[in-house]
Amino acid sequence: MLAFVLALVVIGAVAFSLGRGRMGGRLGGVGKKPAKRACNWSETGNSNGRFVEYRCASCGVAAYSATGDAPVICKSNLKGSA
């Protein structure tokens, strides 16, 4: 009986840990989700192969897209951004 309860506690702890580690997971803490700003993306005309460059008029960050659509999520919180 004690082993069964201990196994349930361990399984619960592992599930909780995995849920907290996922970006945007239900159990994720504050600040884990990417920033969604009202970015005003405009195509710069620069391309690198199949990637098209877009620049945000609000925060000035450049982003690239291979789909031909402007990015949805603000990229200003990514490491190495302007």
Side-chain angles (χ1 to χ4, degrees), residues 40-48 51-57 60-65 68 70-71:
N40 185 12
W41 297 104
S42 60
E43 189 175 333
T44 63
N46 297 334
S47 63
N48 183 3
F51 293 100
V52 178
E53 182 182 24
Y54 291 88
R55 185 160 303 271
C56 175
V61 173
Y64 295 88
S65 174

Side-chain angles (χ1 to χ4, degrees), residues 10-33:
V10 169
I11 291 171
V14 169
F16 182 74
S17 175
L18 289 175
R20 286 180 45 98
R22 290 192 179 137
M23 181 180 264
R26 289 186 326 175
L27 301 176
V30 176
K32 296 281 186 184
K33 293 184 180 180

